[in-house]
Amino acid sequence: MSIVSATTAPTVHLVDDDLQILKSLKRLLGTAGHQVQEHRSAEEFLESHDASQPGCAILDVGLPGMDGFGIQEALGSANTSVPIIFLTGCENVPAIVRAMKAGAMDFLAKPVDAAVLLAAVSEALRTDAEKRRTSDQKRIAAERIASLTPREREVLGGVVAGLLNKQIAAELGTVEKTVKVHRGRMMEKMCVRTVADLVRLSSLAES
Amino acid sequence: MLLIVLLAVSIPMAVEAQGPGDEPTRVLVLYENDPMLPAAMEVAEGISAGLHENGPAKLEVFSDYMDIIRFDDPAHLLLVTRYLEEKYRDVSLNVVMAAGPGALKFVLTHRSLFGEKTPIVFGAVTDKTAAAMALPLDVKGVISHFDVRKTMDLALKLQPDATEILVMTGSAEFDKGWQVSAREALADSYAGIRVRYVSGLSIDGFKAEAAKLPSTTIILIPTLFEDADGRRFVPREAIEMIAQSSSVPIYAVYSSHLGTGIIGGFVGTFHSIGTEMGELASRVLKGDLSTPQLSLVKDGPLIDWRQIIRWGIDPKRVPADAEIRYRELSAWERYRDEVIAATLVFFTLVSTIIILTFQHRRRLRLEAELKLERLELAYLSRSTQLGELSGAMAHELNQPLTSILANAEAGSLLLEGDPIDLLELREIMKDIILDNKRAATVITQLRRLLLKGETSLERMDLNQAVTTTIALARSELLARRTEVDVILDLPDVPVRANLPQLQQVILNLVLNAADAMDHLHFSKRQIAIVTRRRQNGLCELTVTDHGSGVSAQQRVEVFKPFVSTKKSGLGLGLAICRSIAKAHGGTLEFDENFDEGARVIFTLPSA
């Protein structure tokens, strides 16, 4: 499993069938400092999409073939959480509601104001980074717990429950000294120094 | 009745020439009573019917009334004999009919008066009387059987609770004879009920007697020719007097007594006696020897229905085979057919009204719908095309606008850079220009779209286009109470045009004209449409109104899209119309020299 480094730059994915729009938006976002990937159709986007990479997607609602909502659904069912910003040529309240309920980040009307677009993109990328961080942490926590021996896991359970070493020892049917040893190793493997951090990690892994 | 019969008989005889072989059949009917006795009248009717039913074609009937019941002295009889002798001395009779025992006796005794061999037919004689006479074989008759018992049986059926039978008879010999017959039939007790016999009273005495009887009594009055005071009656009248004040039902044995207020009896009608006599005579005249000497007249229960009602007798008690008289049919029974017919007519009327009402409503609704359709048609240039316009426009123009904006914004950002990326800026400019052109193409395409496809021109008559278009807008104009005057200079004006587009222009101009005059009184709302051909070959269509007119500036403005002088207008009509005009190779202009309203001139080349 690849470990995502915080240094990988997020990519803004543009999906629109209009070449001029793709070109101009890429230009705008690029000038503003973003990495942009353009796609001419929904299918092309979905095919090339790597959910492990950070980023967000700007989708034109009115695409031929599968439209923007279709992409949203496809992504949703694949359980990937790419933040989506919709771009539309006409304001259709039911469509907006539908999109928002399905979890879209934003819904913008064409022609779109640069400031508005850039703000939305920043928000989207921040959210994406946030989510990734959380899921990474979750994964790490799970990994760390998985690396524990059964005994160490038991000790973890006891510490998280707030028991004293003495009590843990009694429960496990061993001596306090042994418990101390296990505890030390466990904390090391978990890469935490305080019990509070341990609890946080452990609950993260379980959620 | 008899008079008519005689007339009927004599007329054919008068018409035909009488030759020696054409002798009519001569019949003499002798009655023992007087002609006004109802019984006699009924017999006479019956005889006439019976004779003419199967009788000889040429009949001559003689009727004589002996009246020997009222005048029962020998002197009278002698007079009658002499009279008849003289009368029929030279008359050759084919048959002699005798009605009543008195008449029968006379005929038998004085047979020579009528011809010894002349056959005799009699009727209205009781079986008893006939049995007591020695009748020669060529004397045949219809005998009546007055059935007192059967009459009482009928009475008991109708009055099952009866406790007494009272038999009333008068003081005349005939009456006394009847009392004897009654006693023979009923004795002192019949069917377990006491029988009392009353006679020798005055008419008032009988009336009083009848009035004070308990309701469980049955009265039988066979006959009453004379009361104790010597007063003479037609029995019918006497019985009627008694029946009026009687407290109980009265029964009779003579059918001719029915209608006086008696309830009825078990009788043979005098009419049927007459008919059977007549039929018997016919057969005898034919020479039919097979008939029996004595035949019994048909009899049965005869009921006056009014008495059933008067005495509150249960109708179910009346025998099914009874002959009912005086039954007052209810309005329904009497006029059943009329009521049914009237009801049917009524319902037909009502349903017709209902149907018509629904049809009318439906028609109103259809008219309203039609009007709505026409309105929509009239506003073709606004509704459908606008719909298309907004949708298509919004989207199609949005695209180039989006990229233009994004490019421009990117350009602005680039200008902040250090150094400024001139290469990129140049690209941006190119792209912006490209998008602008794209937008312009969209507009052009949209304009073409508005004109509903390609402008295909074909040869047609401008006049016809005008008249058909006005027809379309008729209901709208009617609603606005605006008159349209169509002046066609020439019989036809050939042009090359696209009909729907042409119609659109005409409609638009006409409706604009109507709109302009909305504020005027009905009488002033007049639109004039004129078609003509100019000398230079151009065809011209003008639409004139008497509204407030159009100022010089407005004349320019109104042709611009999205400019409207109307509050709710969108300002596309005239712009489109001008496009159409141009597409046809023509023009659309206001007449600058017209100031009594507005005049629009549409020109297009002739075909």
Side-chain angles (χ1 to χ4, degrees):
Chain A
M1 200 186 293
S2 62
I3 295 174
V4 175
S5 81
T7 55
T8 312
T11 313
V12 177
H13 297 273
L14 283 174
V15 188
D16 199 317
D17 63 319
D18 189 318
L19 289 180
Q20 290 294 91
I21 290 182
L22 272 182
K23 195 167 168 195
S24 55
L25 283 177
K26 180 173 176 176
R27 194 179 266 147
L28 177 61
L29 291 165
T31 313
H34 292 289
Q35 285 284 99
V36 182
Q37 179 83 51
E38 66 267 48
H39 309 271
R40 287 181 61 181
S41 72
E43 292 82 354
E44 200 209 290
F45 167 60
L46 286 171
E47 254 184 59
S48 62
H49 178 63
D50 183 359
S52 64
Q53 300 302 314
C56 67
I58 301 176
L59 312 177
D60 176 32
V61 171
L63 293 165
M66 188 193 289
D67 68 1
F69 294 123
I71 299 173
Q72 188 184 34
E73 273 174 45
L75 291 172
S77 59
N79 223 6
T80 43
S81 58
V82 175
I84 295 173
I85 298 167
F86 280 110
L87 268 189
T88 181
C90 60
E91 286 138 22
N92 182 347
V93 174
I96 296 169
V97 171
R98 183 182 152 200
M100 298 311 281
K101 278 190 178 171
M105 274 241 60
D106 215 333
F107 208 95
L108 305 173
K110 285 193 240 182
V112 64
D113 194 73
V116 169
L117 183 64
L118 291 169
V121 169
S122 301
E123 181 66 29
L125 292 177
R126 199 186 55 74
T127 309
D128 181 61
E130 187 80 43
K131 272 203 214 141
R132 285 181 189 277
R133 199 172 18 249
T134 310
S135 82
D136 274 349
Q137 283 177 348
K138 210 171 138 178
R139 195 175 38 77
I140 288 166
E143 276 174 8
R144 288 178 189 164
I145 289 174
S147 69
L148 297 175
T149 66
R151 236 333 172 232
E152 284 161 0
R153 213 172 294 167
E154 283 171 337
V155 171
L156 168 70
V159 171
V160 161
L163 299 174
L164 296 171
N165 291 343
K166 207 177 358 189
Q167 290 164 309
I168 297 170
E171 273 221 11
L172 297 179
T174 182
V175 290
E176 201 181 329
K177 211 163 126 185
T178 323
V179 169
K180 270 198 188 155
V181 169
H182 286 308
R183 186 179 169 144
R185 278 206 220 121
M186 182 266 295
M187 293 294 273
E188 225 188 277
K189 280 188 185 175
M190 293 301 283
C191 302
V192 292
R193 277 202 265 147
T194 63
V195 174
D197 284 339
L198 181 70
V199 170
R200 198 176 44 78
L201 260 190
S202 121
S203 61
L204 200 67
E206 277 168 36
S207 64
Chain B
M1 175 65 202
L2 213 52
L3 205 64
I4 297 168
V5 167
L6 287 173
L7 272 171
V9 166
S10 56
I11 286 170
M13 284 178 55
V15 166
E16 290 168 38
Q18 294 289 304
D22 274 346
E23 288 281 304
T25 313
R26 294 195 187 84
V27 178
L28 167 62
V29 187
L30 207 58
Y31 298 86
E32 68 177 15
N33 325 86
D34 66 284
M36 297 316 283
L37 196 68
M41 293 204 284
E42 279 184 43
V43 170
E45 267 181 48
I47 290 174
S48 161
L51 274 176
H52 288 91
E53 182 74 20
N54 289 315
K58 293 183 274 234
L59 259 181
E60 198 174 357
V61 179
F62 303 91
S63 304
D64 274 300
Y65 295 84
M66 298 173 74
D67 211 352
I68 51 177
I69 305 295
R70 290 191 295 186
F71 297 91
D72 57 0
D73 52 286
H76 177 80
L77 188 58
L78 216 58
L79 218 57
V80 168
T81 312
R82 282 274 288 282
Y83 161 75
L84 289 170
E85 189 180 15
E86 287 299 322
K87 187 172 176 185
Y88 294 102
R89 185 187 293 281
D90 295 322
V91 178
S92 161
L93 296 163
N94 299 95
V95 70
V96 174
M97 295 174 78
L104 178 59
K105 267 201 206 103
F106 180 85
V107 167
L108 286 170
T109 325
H110 302 276
R111 201 155 176 181
S112 55
L113 289 179
F114 313 107
E116 288 289 343
K117 300 276 189 225
T118 315
I120 297 171
V121 170
F122 69 90
V125 173
T126 61
D127 46 355
K128 279 220 309 274
T129 316
M133 293 167 137
L135 297 167
L137 283 174
D138 59 351
V139 176
K140 296 193 177 170
V142 173
I143 52 175
S144 314
H145 175 75
F146 293 105
D147 203 329
V148 171
R149 288 213 191 103
K150 283 217 182 115
T151 301
M152 286 301 100
D153 288 339
L154 174 63
L156 289 170
K157 257 199 215 126
L158 298 178
Q159 293 172 257
D161 303 323
T163 52
E164 185 181 73
I165 296 172
L166 191 62
V167 182
M168 290 183 180
T169 46
S171 310
E173 285 302 318
F174 195 76
D175 302 332
K176 287 184 185 155
W178 258 113
Q179 194 181 61
V180 170
S181 302
R183 259 194 217 277
E184 276 175 20
L186 302 175
D188 289 319
S189 162
Y190 180 73
I193 295 170
R194 192 163 74 104
V195 184
R196 201 153 56 90
Y197 299 85
V198 172
S199 60
L201 292 177
S202 68
I203 186 69
D204 292 322
F206 281 122
K207 277 163 74 174
E209 182 69 31
K212 69 172 170 69
L213 293 167
S215 62
T216 53
T217 318
I218 292 170
I219 298 180
L220 174 68
I221 309 182
T223 173
L224 216 171
F225 276 98
E226 199 180 309
D227 74 350
D229 291 339
R231 195 168 148 192
R232 291 222 166 114
F233 299 99
V234 172
R236 225 188 111 90
E237 286 162 14
I239 292 170
E240 189 165 25
M241 283 191 252
I242 300 169
Q244 252 171 26
S245 48
S246 171
S247 55
V248 293
I250 300 174
Y251 294 78
V253 290
Y254 286 90
S255 65
S256 51
H257 292 168
L258 200 76
T260 53
I262 60 149
I263 192 166
F266 198 93
V267 298
T269 60
F270 279 106
H271 193 272
S272 46
I273 291 171
T275 43
E276 281 180 49
M277 278 173 74
E279 279 169 14
L280 182 57
S282 301
R283 269 179 276 152
V284 163
L285 287 165
K286 279 200 195 117
D288 184 353
L289 297 171
S290 65
T291 52
Q293 187 172 34
L294 300 171
S295 40
L296 212 53
V297 83
K298 207 163 31 77
D299 57 7
L302 185 66
I303 306 272
D304 178 348
W305 195 261
R306 297 174 300 184
Q307 304 308 313
I308 298 286
I309 297 170
R310 175 181 171 190
W311 301 114
I313 292 172
D314 184 1
K316 283 187 270 208
R317 297 194 163 281
V318 175
D321 60 339
E323 191 180 319
I324 313 280
R325 301 260 178 95
Y326 306 104
R327 188 168 185 174
E328 288 280 312
L329 296 173
S330 65
W332 168 247
E333 284 163 319
R334 219 184 326 193
Y335 300 113
R336 194 172 58 118
D337 292 337
E338 287 86 342
V339 170
I340 288 172
T343 312
L344 278 175
V345 168
F346 175 70
F347 277 119
T348 310
L349 209 69
V350 169
S351 46
T352 305
I353 291 171
I354 291 171
I355 290 168
L356 286 175
T357 308
F358 277 118
Q359 277 191 353
H360 180 65
R361 277 207 211 137
R362 192 165 145 265
R363 189 157 54 87
L364 284 177
R365 190 168 42 82
L366 285 174
E367 274 180 13
E369 280 176 16
L370 197 67
K371 190 174 172 191
L372 211 65
E373 276 176 31
R374 290 196 163 164
L375 256 174
E376 286 174 7
L377 183 69
Y379 288 108
L380 204 60
S381 61
R382 293 188 185 201
S383 56
T384 49
Q385 293 179 348
L386 194 60
E388 284 182 39
L389 182 64
S390 57
M393 189 168 177
H395 190 263
E396 289 301 315
L397 288 177
N398 229 358
Q399 302 289 86
L401 280 175
T402 306
S403 41
I404 288 171
L405 184 59
N407 276 325
E409 302 253 27
S412 297
L413 281 174
L414 281 172
L415 285 170
E416 304 300 314
D418 185 25
I420 296 172
D421 189 344
L422 287 171
L423 209 65
E424 192 64 15
L425 275 167
R426 211 170 282 155
E427 290 300 308
I428 287 174
M429 289 304 131
K430 280 205 198 124
D431 282 339
I432 289 175
I433 292 166
L434 206 73
D435 278 326
N436 223 46
K437 287 191 178 158
R438 206 171 100 184
T441 318
V442 170
I443 299 281
T444 323
Q445 281 175 343
L446 264 173
R447 276 240 187 82
R448 281 210 210 112
L449 203 75
L450 287 180
L451 301 180
K452 283 200 181 293
E454 288 167 10
T455 307
S456 57
L457 303 174
E458 50 187 35
R459 198 190 154 89
M460 62 180 69
D461 177 17
L462 183 63
N463 287 350
Q464 251 198 355
V466 170
T467 40
T468 48
T469 312
I470 299 304
L472 279 175
R474 196 175 59 83
S475 63
E476 178 62 18
L477 292 166
L478 218 71
R480 298 212 206 186
R481 302 180 72 162
T482 305
E483 256 185 59
V484 176
D485 249 324
V486 181
I487 302 159
L488 309 170
D489 223 14
L490 296 166
D492 68 312
V493 182
V495 291
R496 285 191 67 79
N498 179 301
L499 185 62
Q501 289 175 17
L502 194 60
Q503 283 186 321
Q504 223 172 290
V505 174
I506 298 171
L507 262 174
N508 211 303
L509 296 179
V510 167
L511 291 170
N512 280 353
D515 285 341
M517 297 191 290
D518 253 344
H519 64 282
L520 294 177
H521 187 265
F522 314 142
S523 55
K524 297 211 167 66
R525 294 188 198 167
Q526 283 168 339
I527 301 174
I529 302 180
V530 182
T531 65
R532 49 183 272 259
R533 205 183 141 144
R534 288 189 188 163
Q535 283 184 338
N536 58 4
L538 270 180
C539 296
E540 184 186 278
L541 165 77
T542 47
V543 179
T544 312
D545 67 66
H546 299 291
S548 8
V550 197
S551 71
Q553 188 176 0
Q554 279 177 322
R555 281 192 213 125
V556 177
E557 290 290 310
V558 290
F559 284 106
K560 293 184 183 167
F562 306 110
V563 169
S564 175
T565 51
K566 298 170 209 166
K567 269 186 285 192
S568 59
L570 286 143
L572 285 168
L574 283 174
I576 294 171
C577 289
R578 191 176 251 176
S579 311
I580 293 173
K582 287 219 176 97
H584 280 69
T587 59
L588 188 70
E589 292 293 343
F590 277 100
D591 185 348
E592 286 167 27
N593 302 322
F594 187 76
D595 54 5
E596 283 150 35
R599 175 179 287 166
V600 182
I601 306 173
F602 176 31
T603 64
L604 66 165
S606 62

